[in-house]
Amino acid sequence: MTRDRRAVTIVVPVYDDLPGLERCIEALLETVDFSVDRVLLANDVGPRVDVIEARILELVGDHDGFEYARNARNLGFVGNCNRAVLELDGTGNDVLLLNSDTVPMPGFLDEMTAVLASDDVIGVVCARSDNATIASFPYARRNPSANLAPRRTRELHGRTKYLLPRHTVSPVAMGFCFLIRREMIDRFGLFDEVFSPGYGEENDFCLRINEEGFTSVLANRALVLHTGSTSFSGDRGPSLRLEHERILLERYPFYGGAVALFLARYRDAVDVFADAFLPDDDVVRVALHLPGDLTDELVARVRSTLAAVSDDMVVTVIVPRSQVRAARQALPGASIAVGGRPRQIFDVAVALGALTTFAQLSALNANAPRWVLVDPVSHDHRWSLAVANHRASAIDRILRRFENHSTVWHGGDDLVKLVRMAASSEIDPVALRARWHAVSDIAEATGLLVHRATVSIRRLTALTFGARSPRLVARIRAITGRGA
């Protein structure tokens, strides 16, 4: 471990969840260099305060790298953090707020502090995790229905962390592992009590300092596992999240657009497709993009392709929203999805015919790191056709620049063989980044991707209603298929 860096006070807010706290303390004992850093355990008087206090004292004993404090009364997460950082810690160190349900991996703090020291405009650094919304690794999955085990995150992070940039600028950092430059605390304080007892306070802090020119970043090579959602049970958690999201959007109307812009543009391409760099199964997952109207010939080609697929390949047919009903009728039993930017990624995306719109190109870009083109635009030398098809030709030139394979239609069996060949090829991070940025730039420049700087009254009203009736909202979303 390095000792030529600024010291850190690791503040662990404690409430309940004794098993998680035990794992966290044990991990800190193994990963923290106490000749440089210290740990402050702040007990917020939860329902089993005496049991938890006794166990903390047993675990840390007379270890001089730990300090323990117990509040006179419950202050809530926000109040507990503010007291620990602003009153109890008099070191002047940088501060790492670390949830008690986390398990830091070796080297995490050296990496996070190195990122913080790399640029004076960085105010907050967050680690990557298995469970941390936009800091989750991987964020998008090849198989969203499968459970993401911590072991899988560790393996995948180990495979790709040195392919990623050392850090990524993001609109906000996640509060589960939140390293703050001391100057930020001295200038701006810490958390706004309006977010008490918790949820949204770290986002407000990041956006507040960003308005003053400081950034929040994800430290891509630091990993901290996180259980999550252990503080608030029943309806209280969803209610607080919705109410505090409303406050955030009222203060920062651009917040939703900023997160969407980050996900669509600012993440590294290796991060976007991380789950495809080290597949966790032997299944080839394919996005089969249909370019437009479902003609009889196109339907016949899709059926031929699906008939050639064996059990070790899963094909999802991607269609425009206007064609969903027709696709379901023409292709009964097939997996159908609407083109766009889904949370799922695939090993290979196939364009089954010429793509003629930037929306189709953008969807292909978001789906998979490898492309197979079937019957791309014909380069006819007649000017009449060149003028009529100039838009499709421009899209085709972009496609050809980044394709893995292109072919004319020879039948479903041949296409499936080509897809397998593409899926077995190594992903080139440099080429993938070039493609990701080129297509994203086109999508934004042409207005295909628009990230709003305002929030609608309808959205704010929905959040207010949701905060009052979270269970009803969850039921409505489940019925409408939008998720809880």
Side-chain angles (χ1 to χ4, degrees), residues 33 65 76 117 119 123 144 192 204 236 247 259 273 305 348 362 378 448:
D33 184 350
D119 194 328
D192 190 332
D204 175 74
R236 194 181 187 206
I247 296 172
V259 173
F273 297 110
T305 303
V348 181
S362 183
S378 175
L448 175 62

Side-chain angles (χ1 to χ4, degrees), residues 465-483:
F465 174 75
R468 294 173 180 172
S469 307
R471 194 170 299 179
L472 178 59
V473 171
R475 188 178 306 164
I476 292 172
R477 292 175 68 86
I479 292 172
T480 58
R482 296 180 61 188

Side-chain angles (χ1 to χ4, degrees), residues 427-438:
I427 301 170
D428 180 351
V430 175
L432 183 61
R433 286 190 183 97
R435 189 200 88 189
W436 179 258
H437 288 303

Side-chain angles (χ1 to χ4, degrees), residues 142-472:
R142 294 169 62 254
N143 182 11
S145 63
N147 291 328
L148 179 62
R151 176 186 56 80
R152 169 64 178 163
T153 291
R154 291 198 303 269
E155 291 175 348
L156 192 57
H157 187 255
R159 168 67 177 83
T160 58
K161 64 181 179 181
Y162 293 114
L163 299 177
L164 291 166
R166 194 164 196 178
H167 69 267
T168 302
V169 176
S170 63
V172 296
M174 301 299 101
F176 78 104
C177 182
F178 198 77
L179 176 62
I180 314 169
R181 188 184 297 275
R182 172 58 70 168
E183 288 83 353
M184 298 296 98
I185 298 169
D186 294 341
R187 285 187 58 180
F188 305 111
L190 193 56
F191 295 147
D192 190 332
E193 293 283 351
V194 75
F195 294 98
S196 185
Y199 285 129
E201 68 283 341
E202 77 275 35
N203 297 337
D204 175 74
F205 183 84
C206 292
L207 294 169
R208 185 169 9 121
I209 68 171
N210 183 246
E211 290 296 281
E212 300 296 329
F214 298 96
T215 64
S216 305
V217 304
L218 309 182
N220 291 322
R221 299 173 188 172
L223 183 63
V224 174
L225 303 178
H226 179 219
T227 302
S229 301
T230 60
S231 299
F232 303 105
S233 60
D235 291 342
R236 194 181 187 206
S239 181
L240 286 171
R241 280 196 296 270
L242 293 168
E243 172 61 20
H244 293 177
E245 183 182 350
R246 181 187 62 79
I247 296 172
L248 281 172
L249 288 172
E250 287 179 337
R251 288 185 176 183
Y252 313 101
F254 58 86
Y255 174 51
V259 173
L261 178 59
F262 166 77
L263 293 174
R265 180 65 176 80
Y266 283 94
R267 290 180 300 163
D268 188 81
V270 173
D271 201 343
V272 175
F273 297 110
D275 205 30
F277 275 79
L278 185 67
D280 56 347
D281 57 32
D282 295 325
V283 176
V284 177
R285 302 185 187 278
V286 182
L288 186 63
H289 286 253
L290 307 191
D293 294 337
L294 295 183
T295 63
D296 291 343
E297 180 182 9
L298 183 59
V299 170
R301 289 185 176 187
V302 175
R303 289 173 178 168
S304 174
T305 303
L306 295 178
V309 169
S310 54
D311 291 341
D312 64 344
M313 183 177 290
V314 174
V315 176
T316 301
V317 181
I318 310 293
V319 299
R321 187 174 298 277
S322 61
Q323 297 293 311
V324 171
R325 179 175 296 181
R328 288 175 177 164
Q329 292 175 347
L331 304 167
S335 174
I336 308 290
V338 176
R341 310 182 73 87
R343 283 290 297 270
Q344 182 179 4
I345 63 167
F346 302 85
D347 298 304
V348 181
V350 178
L352 193 58
L355 300 185
T356 57
T357 70
F358 284 120
Q360 293 167 338
L361 175 62
S362 183
L364 197 72
N365 190 44
N367 276 166
R370 307 174 183 92
W371 288 351
V372 172
L373 311 181
V374 180
D375 284 350
V377 172
S378 175
H379 291 272
D380 196 296
H381 295 289
R382 287 174 291 180
W383 281 106
S384 58
L385 294 177
V387 172
N389 299 324
H390 70 94
R391 187 179 180 90
S393 296
I395 294 172
D396 185 68
R397 286 192 292 273
I398 299 168
L399 287 167
R400 295 295 184 93
R401 193 186 314 163
F402 301 112
E403 67 178 343
N404 295 93
H405 301 279
S406 63
T407 183
V408 295
W409 174 257
H410 291 298
D413 289 324
D414 283 350
L415 177 57
V416 168
K417 290 177 183 177
L418 191 58
V419 167
R420 291 189 188 281
M421 184 185 305
S424 65
S425 64
E426 289 290 326
I427 301 170
D428 180 351
V430 175
L432 183 61
R433 286 190 183 97
R435 189 200 88 189
W436 179 258
H437 288 303
V439 177
S440 296
D441 285 345
I442 291 169
E444 290 181 355
T446 58
L448 175 62
L449 288 179
V450 177
H451 307 295
R452 298 186 181 279
T454 59
V455 60
S456 67
I457 296 298
R458 179 180 179 182
R459 174 64 174 158
L460 296 176
T461 302
L463 289 169
T464 301
F465 174 75
R468 294 173 180 172
S469 307
R471 194 170 299 179
L472 178 59

